[in-house]
Structure formats: structure tokens, C-alpha cells
């Protein structure tokens, strides 16, 4: 704990040195593949490249910029991770979730985590925005936090209910986290459906676990960018993921704004 405290102090020092002050944060946002444009909407924007912040990794994947962006959205102080770190990039799970400790130290009380996911539930279609109702950790990698055997808090029910009342056609589902980076086989997807998964992706669960541990109220949103392997005849591609997230971005931005205003 002592070690992480001094690491957080160093990261805050870097942020302060880069923008000249230490920003206050109410809501943290982690934006998934192709969804990073939300950061363009914020007012009084100041941005710090990850490579200027000690302790932060550097994203290597197309569709993930590497900036920590501060400013106002829906009159709230936000901190956006424009681009995230993945386990499949060869990162350690504790380094992937590290920025959450920094957000918490800056005052964050709420976290919105978004991702691109493959639809397993046959009633989903590409372009759907799905609230993460529960998770399955099929990567079997947990961030090393001391829960003293407490259960993980995956969501804030009241926050979700308030959003539900304002945003039409919101679907809900269970997200299964796999390590990737290869997409799944059709048999894996059939097995995941039997396990109770509605969508599959390669992120989010480590961040949600740590956010819950830090006492942040969590909202997870999956953007269904493709139907998972074996459901449709054409093969999956990362380009398809980026293309669908591009098409759905206006609806996505609207949902994020509703979520922030309902914090
Ligand atoms: N599988 C895993 N991760 C994903 C997918 C998928 O089909 N689509 C977007 N991220």
C-alpha cells in the first residue's frame, strides 16, 4: 500500500507539472475501442499524454489514443481515459487498473467504463448499447486487491435505474472477459452462451473490480460492434469493430451525457 501511495504521488506530480494545476474529478470515464471521441465534447479541456505520467502504460492498439483528458461534461468535472490498456498487450493486470487509483485520489466518486463487445445474445445486434448487468471473468486474472473475501460490486443499481428512465431501448447483459487477442471460436461462443454470457470482450472486468474495491459507483456499457464468432457467416475483423463504433457514436455520446447528468 505504501508503495502504491508513493507511485500515485509521483503520477499526480506529473499531471500537475504538465497542466499547471491538480484537477478535481467527480466522474472517471474509460473509453473503449473507437469510442474515444467523447473526449472532444468536453469543455475547458486539458489533456495529458500517458507517456508524460509516471506509472501509466502506453496503448499500442489502433482506435486507442493515449491521453488523460480533464474538463467539464454536463457541468461535472470529468477525467477521461482516452484509450485503455489491455491484458493482451502484454501488460500486467495491476498496471492496467493503476489509473483508477489516480482518479480516485483526484476525487472521483463514479466511474463509467465502456467497451466494444461481440454479441452472444441472439436478440442483440451491432450498434446496440448494453448496460453491463454482471460479469464473468473468463480470463481468470484478478487485480491483486485485498477484498478479505468480500464480493465484487459490479454496478450501481440506483444509477442504472435513473438512466433507464431517461434512455429508451437500453439493453442489459452479462459481459464475459477473455484475454484475447485472438477472437473466439464458434464453439467457445456456444459454451459462453450456456454459461450465461450475453456479450464478450477483452477488457473492463479488471477495471470494474478495482473501481468497486475503491468504492466508486460503477456503470459499464458495452457497444455491440459485431455478432460473436459463428453467429453470422462473415469472419470478424478489428475494422468492423471500429466501423460500428463510429456509426453508433452519436447515440453513445448521448447515453454518456445522460449517465453523467444522473450521477
Ligand atoms: N470478441 C472479443 N472481443 C471483442 C469482440 C468479440 O467478438 N468484439 C469486440 N471486442
Amino acid at each position: 500500500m505504501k508503495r502504491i501511495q508513493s507511485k500515485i504521488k509521483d503520477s499526480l506530480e506529473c499531471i500537475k507539472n504538465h497542466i499547471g494545476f491538480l484537477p478535481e474529478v467527480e466522474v472517471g470515464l474509460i473509453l473503449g475501442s473507437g469510442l474515444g471521441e467523447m473526449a472532444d465534447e468536453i469543455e475547458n479541456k486539458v489533456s495529458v499524454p500517458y507517456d508524460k505520467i509516471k506509472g501509466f502504460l502506453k496503448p499500442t492498439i489502433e482506435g486507442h489514443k493515449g491521453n488523460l483528458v480533464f474538463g467539464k461534461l454536463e457541468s461535472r468535472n470529468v477525467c477521461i481515459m482516452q484509450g485503455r490498456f489491455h491484458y493482451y498487450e502484454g501488460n500486467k493486470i495491476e498496471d492496467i487498473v493503476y489509473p483508477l487509483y489516480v482518479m480516485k485520489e483526484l476525487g472521483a466518486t463514479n466511474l463509467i467504463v465502456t467497451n466494444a463487445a461481440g454479441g452472444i445474445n441472439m436478440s442483440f445486434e451491432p450498434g446496440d448499447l448494453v448496460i453491463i448487468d454482471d460479469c464473468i471473468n473468463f480470463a481468470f486474472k484478478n487485480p491483486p486487491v485485498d477484498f478479505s473475501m468480500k464480493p465484487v460490486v459490479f454496478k450501481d443499481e440506483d444509477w442504472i435505474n435513473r438512466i433507464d428512465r431517461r434512455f429508451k431501448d437500453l439493453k442489459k447483459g452479462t459481459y464475459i472477459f477473455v484475454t484475447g487477442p485472438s477472437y473466439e471460436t464458434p464453439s467457445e461462443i456456444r459454451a459462453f452462451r450456456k454459461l450465461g454470457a450475453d456479450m464478450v470482450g477483452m477488457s473492463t472486468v479488471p477495471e470494474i473490480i478495482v473501481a468497486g474495491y475503491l468504492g466508486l459507483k460503477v456503470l459499464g456499457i458495452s457497444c455491440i460492434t459485431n455478432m460473436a464468432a459463428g453467429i453470422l457467416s462473415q469472419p470478424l475483423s478489428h475494422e468492423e469493430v471500429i466501423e460500428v463504433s463510429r456509426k453508433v457514436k452519436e447515440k453513445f455520446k448521448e447515453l454518456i451525457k445522460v449517465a453523467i447528468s444522473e450521477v
Side-chain angles (χ1 to χ4, degrees), residues 79-234:
C79 169
I80 300 187
M81 273 190 82
Q82 198 179 25
R84 64 143 57 85
F85 313 125
H86 299 88
Y87 184 71
Y88 64 70
E89 292 170 272
N91 298 318
K92 286 196 195 139
I93 214 96
E94 56 264 42
D95 293 334
I96 292 172
V97 295
Y98 173 67
L100 289 166
Y101 288 84
V102 174
M103 287 189 193
K104 167 81 182 175
E105 196 64 27
L106 289 169
T109 53
N110 291 63
L111 179 78
I112 301 174
V113 199
T114 70
N115 60 49
I120 295 178
N121 185 319
M122 299 291 203
S123 75
F124 290 176
E125 50 190 7
D128 277 348
L129 298 175
V130 183
I131 297 288
I132 300 175
D133 209 24
D134 209 339
C135 296
I136 300 173
N137 190 344
F138 208 78
F140 307 109
K141 300 278 171 204
N142 271 28
V145 289
D146 167 27
F147 274 107
S148 310
M149 305 300 170
K150 286 198 203 86
V152 179
V153 182
F154 277 119
K155 57 179 175 182
D156 187 78
E157 202 85 59
D158 292 341
W159 192 10
I160 293 174
N161 288 340
R162 289 196 296 278
I163 298 165
D164 227 358
R165 281 197 282 274
R166 282 187 53 192
F167 204 88
K168 282 200 202 82
D169 303 329
L170 214 47
K171 297 182 176 172
K172 294 192 186 127
T174 295
Y175 177 91
I176 189 163
F177 167 45
V178 292
T179 57
S182 48
Y183 285 122
E184 303 67 40
T185 65
S187 295
E188 283 169 342
I189 294 303
R190 281 194 298 276
F192 292 167
R193 188 176 297 120
K194 285 190 180 150
L195 288 177
D198 297 297
M199 59 256 186
V200 57
M202 304 172 191
S203 66
T204 302
V205 171
E207 293 130 331
I208 282 182
I209 291 174
V210 168
Y213 167 70
L214 292 173
L216 301 176
K217 291 182 177 168
V218 180
L219 175 72
I221 304 167
S222 286
C223 171
I224 305 299
T225 49
N226 57 281
M227 290 314 285
I231 296 179
L232 305 176
S233 47
Q234 83 260 27

